[in-house]
Amino acid sequence: MASPVLPSTSSLLGVALVVNRSRDGPRFVFHYPPQIQYGKKQRVTPPQESAGDELDDDDEVLLNQLGQPFFEGTSASLPNAAGIQSWNHDDHLETESGSHIVPWEHVAGYPTRDLESLLTPSRAFHKRLFHVSLDQLCFVSSPVYVHENGIWRKQKRQPKNKHPKSPENGAEPVVTPMVPDSDVSHADGKDASAAEEDATVPAGGYARNENGVVDETEEKKSGMTMFNLIFILKPKKHEAKELAETLYVHIIRKINKLFKYSQQKTDFVWKESKRILALKDKSREERTKMSVLWKEILDVSSLAASVQDIYDAVSQNKIAALQLETSEGTITHSVQIPIPFYLTDLPPEEEADSTRGLWITTANYFVEEDSLHDPSFLDKHFGLLLMSDEKKVIAELQADADEATAAMVEFVRLSKPTMSFHQISQGSGLSPAQVRKYAQHFIFWRRGIAIPPLHARDIYVLSPNADFSLLPRASQAWARAFPLASHLAEFLAELSVAPRMYKWFCPSKIHRPRYLQMLAWLMRGGWVTQLCTFAYVVVWPEILYEVEYELEAEELKTLQEEASKKEKEKQKQKQTQREQQQQQQNTEQNHDRDKEREKDEKPQRHHHHYHPHHQQQQEGWEPESDNRDRRYFHHRPTSPAGSSSTIRAGNISLSASTATLDLQSMSPAGAATEGPGLATSSNSFLPHLLSPAPLADPSSLSDSRFHNTYRQDTPLHSEPPSASNSPPTAAQTQGERFALAARLSRIADKEAQAAYERSSAFARKPQPVPTPHPSLNTSAHLAHLSPYVIVDPRRATGKDSLYLSAIGRRFSDPKVRAAWPVFWKYFNGRAALERVVLGLGGDGASEGLGLGGSGSGSDKMKIKKRKEAWALMTAMSEHLLCIRHF
């Protein structure tokens, strides 16, 4: 996990408090530490003659005031050079003109009268992050303003149907004590009437009427309209934004809530501010040293003491425990910036010093990383290791007792580093939700850390992030805690010289509990870490070849089935076409018979109406008709395009063939996809389609129509193309048809040859033969294959899932074969096998893993011991690539 940007003594220069009054304006109340100094870059002032960017007069004045050191001014007010060099920023300084320089009126080289104006933003920044940069400094705060009505206390609405309580209806009168403020000298410039008014304000800051109800008209408005707690930073440029947001979320917002609550209750912030300002004014007149004044302020003002505690704790990444002494009692509150108590990787060199000594591990004690602050997501298989003595933690809990103290004390007594949260909840009266909630509480407040339960079968080594500068002091503490043990340095050397199970360092089982206590002491100080085993699934060439062989065999079988299916469909289609053609021929024959029958009936009708002139006309027509019919059937001129001509009789177009083959809609690519069956059937059927069929008998046509529409003197090839019923572009020439058929035949032959060669090559391949140890198979047909590693079996798809299934079929033990799909999702190089065993079946904490033989759904068993889980993974070890690290 990435370490957050935390404040330090070099980046956090100080903490200050600014308040604002409607009468006097902003006032710089207090800052800590007393002397905030830093090396400020000197600003180069451009010549006044240059025509650069012009600033407004107000902006130029402000920049000049803030950009110059506080002792810069007119020549008459400059102190002598000897006084500047010897000035310790603690005493008051006199200039040559007699001016008085007060040390606490300049913070970080800037006058407080300018800073208090700059650090008093408008009401738009109420409870929002206010971040302003000045040279290398950053001022981060979140100002808190009073309500629009000028009253800090938020009024509670009285129910409409509820009558106010009074002494007459049984309510006790509310007595509000009057807290005099006569010990504060009013030297801040306000008149005596305002000071007297402030001195008679009730401690609660509100007034009640005779019925004991808050009266808004009688409630006094507060003299303070805003307070602002400012953090003065000097961060690195790339860390400024993140550091400001961290302070705002974890420190500033929570402290502002505390100050606002105390201000609403007892007007605490303004009263303490008046006390501090009065002491500063008094010391200014008496020329008191700054160190003496600050000591006095910290002694008499709990507000100033809280500012000191905030700076000391936040700059050192500790917990700030604040105590505000109000008139109604002491208000306590604690704030901190949560820091990780472990690292997942070695930090870079520039961050090594700040993270030295932290426990280094890849264990994630949360079920989901997105729910780090939800106790319900705390892994139940982890345990709690207290960072201090159990008696000390119990004493701290009992000192601040509440309704949950008894349950938390019980949790502390039951928590052992060798027990998981699940085991604690099972062996006590605490529910699993309570156990996780209390564990999260101790982890947040740095009283404990979540670790995998310590076990004698695990391996522990010296931590690479151990802080050896603390070794002398730690050796003394080790000797006091375990006087009979070997020296700390020797014990750490034994752990790392030959890593093995921790139980082998124990002389006997009787000494094992004591050695586990020694191990907990080393884990608490970050001296040791657990050496874990991580695994990947490796697929050996034998299994790779087996899967590839099965895939190719299945593909060839599928292609053969598809070809057979298409051939059947083509045969069925040809049969359907033959039936349609036969039916069409029968229909045409029946139609011709009907027309011949009608033709035979016509002469009979003419015989009944015989006329000599009519007979001569018929006799004269017959030879001419015979000649025309002969020319009609034997005259076939060739068209210029070389295509089969179409003979026209009037508006009747007779094609050269009665059957047409639509080859324009077929492309070579489409024909190729049809397979060999299509090409064979097309070639055999094509000549039949392309051969001209006999033309219709002209005698079947009407005599009068044929005689009137036929023109002998017009050649057929000279007829324009537009006279045809079908467009010429839609028809193909006979040569094009034969060329397309030949091309389709060649494509089909080529595909058939490729399929034959592929089938022959597959038949020559040796069949896969399973061996007892695939990792040792060095057959010649596997030489071109290399082992393959599955990175994440949980998301395996395609061939990876086939590889996992093939590996599972290799296990002869039914239990191992059934456990393989459950275990393989943890073989991703990120889940430690020790924690997998702990979650699946360690010490009865498992919820059960259903294992049964092949085909047996009812015969199930549970993994109840760590040894059984380790035995199952050992049986899978040939197909695992294992590595070890922390």
Side-chain angles (χ1 to χ4, degrees):
M1 57 186 299
S3 55
V5 178
L6 300 175
S8 61
T9 54
S10 60
S11 60
L12 180 58
L13 301 184
V15 182
L17 178 65
V18 175
V19 300
N20 186 27
R21 290 204 68 188
S22 56
R23 298 175 182 174
D24 303 332
R27 297 296 301 270
F28 201 96
V29 179
F30 185 73
H31 67 275
Y32 191 88
Q35 299 176 2
I36 302 177
Q37 301 176 6
Y38 82 106
K40 188 169 54 173
K41 294 182 180 180
Q42 295 296 331
R43 190 190 308 274
V44 179
T45 306
Q48 297 183 2
E49 303 85 58
S50 62
D53 296 336
E54 296 184 358
L55 299 173
D56 296 338
D57 295 339
D58 297 339
D59 297 339
E60 187 175 359
V61 170
L62 180 60
L63 289 177
N64 290 335
Q65 290 179 353
L66 296 176
Q68 296 177 355
F70 63 87
F71 51 80
E72 289 186 2
T74 60
S75 58
S77 61
L78 285 175
N80 52 36
I84 295 176
Q85 294 178 359
S86 61
W87 189 42
N88 56 5
H89 298 275
D90 189 23
D91 297 326
H92 295 247
L93 189 64
E94 296 286 346
T95 62
E96 295 179 355
S97 61
S99 300
H100 180 201
I101 298 178
V102 182
W104 57 79
E105 292 183 355
H106 300 85
V107 177
Y110 298 103
T112 56
R113 63 178 180 274
D114 297 331
L115 290 177
E116 63 190 13
S117 300
L118 180 67
L119 300 176
T120 306
S122 62
R123 183 179 287 272
F125 288 94
H126 174 60
K127 292 185 179 182
R128 295 185 179 181
L129 177 61
F130 177 71
H131 185 192
V132 61
S133 298
L134 192 60
D135 285 341
Q136 300 179 9
L137 296 182
C138 294
F139 299 87
V140 181
S141 65
S142 178
V144 179
Y145 274 84
V146 71
H147 296 295
E148 296 289 347
N149 57 5
I151 302 172
W152 284 96
R153 177 182 294 274
K154 188 176 182 180
Q155 302 295 335
K156 294 183 180 180
R157 295 182 178 179
Q158 186 75 13
K160 296 181 179 179
N161 299 330
K162 187 176 180 180
H163 297 283
K165 292 184 178 181
S166 61
E168 288 78 6
N169 57 17
E172 296 181 358
V174 178
V175 180
T176 303
M178 303 297 291
V179 180
D181 200 13
S182 57
D183 56 338
V184 179
S185 58
H186 310 285
D188 52 357
K190 64 180 180 180
D191 54 358
S193 60
E196 183 179 358
E197 185 179 4
D198 289 342
T200 59
V201 176
Y206 60 93
R208 296 179 182 268
N209 57 15
E210 58 182 2
N211 294 329
V213 181
V214 177
D215 191 353
E216 295 185 4
T217 58
E218 299 179 2
E219 187 172 356
K220 177 185 174 297
K221 293 184 178 181
S222 175
M224 182 180 67
T225 60
M226 185 274 300
F227 67 85
N228 193 12
L229 185 68
I230 304 111
F231 285 78
I232 306 173
L233 307 175
K234 186 185 176 184
K236 297 178 181 179
K237 188 175 182 180
H238 63 281
E239 297 178 351
K241 183 177 180 181
E242 184 177 355
L243 182 57
E245 292 179 354
T246 301
L247 288 173
Y248 170 72
V249 172
H250 298 288
I251 302 297
I252 298 176
R253 291 176 57 185
K254 296 181 179 180
I255 295 177
N256 283 346
K257 288 182 180 179
L258 175 65
F259 285 176
K260 184 178 180 181
Y261 176 80
S262 60
Q263 175 67 21
Q264 290 176 347
K265 287 291 184 180
T266 60
D267 204 19
F268 171 79
V269 177
W270 173 234
K271 289 182 179 179
E272 293 293 315
S273 299
K274 288 193 298 181
R275 182 178 289 109
I276 295 172
L277 292 174
L279 290 175
K280 290 171 68 175
D281 291 341
K282 181 180 178 181
S283 299
R284 175 191 175 95
E285 299 297 331
E286 297 178 356
R287 307 294 177 93
T288 306
K289 290 185 177 183
M290 188 175 184
S291 57
V292 177
L293 173 62
W294 248 240
K295 183 179 180 180
E296 183 180 359
I297 292 175
L298 294 174
D299 291 339
V300 301
S301 175
S302 60
L303 178 63
S306 65
V307 174
Q308 179 188 12
D309 295 338
I310 293 169
Y311 172 79
D312 293 339
V314 174
S315 61
Q316 299 178 12
N317 295 324
K318 296 181 179 180
I319 300 175
L322 308 180
Q323 291 186 355
L324 303 182
E325 303 293 339
T326 65
S327 58
E328 293 186 355
T330 303
I331 301 176
T332 60
H333 191 62
S334 299
V335 294
Q336 65 155 341
I337 298 177
I339 59 175
F341 60 85
Y342 71 98
L343 299 175
T344 57
D345 198 358
L346 291 175
E349 295 182 359
E350 58 271 12
E351 299 179 5
D353 294 337
S354 60
T355 59
R356 186 72 67 188
L358 289 179
W359 180 40
I360 184 167
T361 182
T362 55
N364 182 16
Y365 60 95
F366 285 98
V367 178
E368 296 182 6
E369 295 183 358
D370 296 337
S371 304
L372 298 182
H373 301 290
D374 190 351
S376 61
F377 286 89
L378 196 63
D379 194 341
K380 66 178 181 179
H381 299 300
F382 274 65
L384 182 67
L385 175 63
L386 296 176
M387 299 303 292
S388 57
D389 186 49
E390 176 183 324
K391 297 180 180 179
K392 182 179 179 180
V393 175
I394 293 177
E396 292 178 354
L397 291 174
Q398 293 177 348
D400 189 12
D402 55 10
E403 60 275 5
T405 300
M408 296 181 72
V409 169
E410 182 68 15
F411 171 74
V412 171
R413 288 174 179 171
L414 294 174
S415 296
K416 304 297 179 185
T418 57
M419 297 178 61
S420 64
F421 300 137
H422 184 75
Q423 292 172 326
I424 295 174
S425 61
Q426 284 186 340
S428 65
L430 301 176
S431 63
Q434 284 180 309
V435 170
R436 295 186 184 187
K437 181 179 179 181
Y438 297 155
Q440 175 68 14
H441 175 81
F442 287 112
I443 292 171
F444 180 80
W445 292 110
R446 310 183 191 182
R447 294 297 185 269
I449 60 175
I451 63 170
L454 304 180
H455 201 276
R457 289 194 181 95
D458 293 334
I459 302 174
Y460 300 91
V461 294
L462 176 66
S463 175
N465 198 44
D467 190 0
F468 289 99
S469 62
L470 304 177
L471 184 59
R473 187 185 305 172
S475 298
Q476 297 177 3
W478 170 271
R480 289 193 301 267
F482 312 103
L484 299 180
S486 59
H487 194 269
L488 178 60
E490 296 177 0
F491 192 81
L492 294 176
E494 283 185 38
L495 289 176
S496 300
V497 67
R500 56 189 185 274
M501 291 185 182
Y502 187 71
K503 67 179 182 178
W504 300 115
F505 295 96
C506 305
S508 64
K509 286 188 177 181
I510 301 176
H511 298 84
R512 187 172 295 181
R514 188 63 174 173
Y515 269 74
L516 288 176
Q517 293 178 6
M518 295 164 57
L519 180 61
W521 190 94
L522 295 174
M523 290 285 292
R524 190 178 293 114
W527 294 104
V528 297
T529 187
Q530 184 179 358
L531 188 63
C532 299
T533 307
F534 302 85
Y536 292 96
V537 177
V538 57
V539 186
W540 298 108
E542 178 182 323
I543 300 177
L544 291 173
Y545 180 81
E546 177 185 344
V547 173
E548 294 292 343
Y549 188 90
E550 292 177 355
L551 287 176
E552 189 173 0
E554 185 178 355
E555 185 178 357
L556 290 176
K557 183 179 178 181
T558 304
L559 290 177
Q560 185 178 2
E561 292 177 355
E562 290 180 356
S564 176
K565 184 178 180 180
K566 288 182 179 179
E567 185 65 23
K568 292 180 181 179
E569 291 178 356
K570 295 300 179 183
Q571 295 294 338
K572 185 177 180 180
Q573 186 177 5
K574 288 173 61 176
Q575 183 67 22
T576 304
Q577 290 178 355
R578 292 194 188 99
E579 293 176 356
Q580 291 178 354
Q581 291 176 3
Q582 186 66 27
Q583 185 178 2
Q584 184 177 3
Q585 291 177 0
N586 296 336
T587 304
E588 291 177 354
Q589 290 177 0
N590 296 333
H591 186 66
D592 293 342
R593 293 193 193 100
D594 295 340
K595 287 189 176 182
E596 290 177 357
R597 189 178 299 110
E598 292 178 359
K599 182 179 179 181
D600 295 338
E601 292 175 357
K602 284 183 180 180
Q604 296 178 2
R605 290 195 297 268
H606 288 292
H607 177 72
H608 293 289
H609 304 281
Y610 173 76
H611 194 273
H613 180 69
H614 183 268
Q615 183 178 8
Q616 292 179 359
Q617 288 180 351
Q618 284 192 351
E619 293 177 354
W621 180 84
E622 287 179 359
E624 185 179 359
S625 176
D626 294 342
N627 294 334
R628 290 182 180 181
D629 293 344
R630 192 177 297 110
R631 287 194 303 269
Y632 182 81
F633 286 102
H634 296 282
H635 177 67
R636 290 191 176 188
T638 304
S639 62
S643 61
S644 57
S645 61
T646 304
I647 302 176
R648 297 184 177 275
N651 61 346
I652 301 177
S653 176
L654 300 178
S655 175
S657 175
T658 57
T660 59
L661 178 63
D662 189 7
L663 294 178
Q664 287 183 343
S665 62
M666 296 178 60
S667 63
T673 57
E674 292 295 328
L678 176 61
T680 304
S681 61
S682 299
N683 294 339
S684 61
F685 190 55
L686 206 58
H688 175 71
L689 294 178
L690 297 178
S691 61
L695 295 175
D697 188 3
S699 61
S700 63
L701 300 176
S702 176
D703 296 339
S704 60
R705 180 182 178 186
F706 183 81
H707 177 73
N708 295 333
T709 58
Y710 178 69
R711 294 183 304 171
Q712 181 181 0
D713 55 348
T714 303
L716 296 176
H717 64 271
S718 62
E719 191 171 337
S722 59
S724 176
N725 290 338
S726 60
T729 57
Q732 286 182 327
T733 64
Q734 188 173 3
E736 289 177 349
R737 294 175 182 175
F738 280 107
L740 179 59
R743 183 165 63 251
L744 294 178
S745 178
R746 289 194 301 269
I747 293 174
D749 294 341
K750 191 174 181 180
E751 288 184 351
Q753 182 67 20
Y756 173 77
E757 293 177 356
R758 183 177 180 183
S759 300
S760 302
F762 178 75
R764 291 192 298 269
K765 286 185 177 181
Q767 294 185 357
V769 178
T771 60
H773 300 285
S775 59
L776 303 178
N777 192 347
T778 58
S779 301
H781 65 281
L782 304 177
H784 67 286
L785 298 175
S786 299
Y788 172 71
V789 176
I790 300 177
V791 178
D792 193 355
R794 187 190 294 267
R795 301 179 180 178
T797 57
K799 287 186 178 180
D800 288 354
S801 61
L802 297 178
Y803 294 151
L804 294 172
S805 300
I807 293 174
R809 293 193 298 267
R810 294 300 184 95
F811 299 124
S812 58
D813 190 351
K815 293 183 180 179
V816 180
R817 190 184 306 115
W820 173 248
V822 180
F823 276 88
W824 79 37
K825 60 184 179 181
Y826 299 107
F827 302 146
N828 55 7
R830 297 187 300 272
L833 301 187
E834 290 80 3
R835 288 185 277 278
V836 172
V837 173
L838 180 67
L840 289 178
D843 299 329
S846 174
E847 296 178 353
L849 173 65
L851 298 178
S854 58
S856 62
S858 59
D859 186 13
K860 295 184 178 181
M861 61 177 299
K862 294 183 179 180
I863 298 178
K864 298 181 179 180
K865 295 183 179 180
R866 293 165 59 101
K867 185 183 295 186
E868 185 178 356
W870 273 116
L872 290 173
M873 284 195 293
T874 303
M876 310 171 187
S877 59
E878 187 173 3
H879 303 279
L880 301 179
L881 179 63
C882 298
I883 56 176
R884 281 185 171 180
H885 59 78
F886 46 81

